[in-house]
């Protein structure tokens, strides 16, 4: 959420993650594990495309994927 706040604002970032989590994974973000983050990011993609554009979304999701690899 911290990474999306500068782009979307605090409330919108929180709601985007919550919505994507419920749609893609059928559970709240608090119950999402690190191994499920790629699915969550894929669920965020359509919303981010709308809010910040496809090109910027691609860059942001790529950065998230790189950061996730470091967590593993």
């Amino acid at each position: 959420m911290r990474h999306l706040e500068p782009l979307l604002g605090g409330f919108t970032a929180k709601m985007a993650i919550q919505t994507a989590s419920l749609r893609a994974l059928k559970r709240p973000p608090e119950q999402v594990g690190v191994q499920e983050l790629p699915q969550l990011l894929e669920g965020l993609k359509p919303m981010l495309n709308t809010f910040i554009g496809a090109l910027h979304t691609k860059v942001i999701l790529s950065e998230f994927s790189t950061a996730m690899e470091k967590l593993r």
Side-chain angles (χ1 to χ4, degrees), residues 4 8 12 16-17 19-21 23-24 38-58 60-61:
L4 292 177
L8 304 175
T12 304
I17 291 171
T19 300
S21 178
R23 284 186 181 169
Q39 292 169 300
L40 178 61
L41 292 178
E42 194 61 33
L44 275 170
K45 192 175 185 177
M47 196 177 317
L48 291 177
N49 281 336
T50 300
F51 287 143
I52 62 174
L55 182 61
H56 203 58
T57 296
K58 186 175 180 178
I60 294 298
L61 293 181

Side-chain angles (χ1 to χ4, degrees), residues 3-42:
H3 297 289
L4 292 177
E5 283 180 358
L7 300 168
L8 304 175
F11 179 77
T12 304
K14 180 179 178 181
M15 295 312 296
I17 291 171
Q18 185 170 2
T19 300
S21 178
L22 291 173
R23 284 186 181 169
L25 301 168
K26 308 292 189 240
R27 59 182 173 266
E30 298 83 24
Q31 296 177 0
V32 175
V34 174
Q35 66 279 6
E36 299 163 316
L37 287 178
Q39 292 169 300
L40 178 61
L41 292 178
E42 194 61 33

Side-chain angles (χ1 to χ4, degrees), residues 55-71:
L55 182 61
H56 203 58
T57 296
K58 186 175 180 178
V59 171
I60 294 298
L61 293 181
S62 175
E63 290 173 1
F64 287 159
S65 294
T66 302
M68 283 189 312
E69 288 299 318
K70 291 179 183 177
L71 290 175

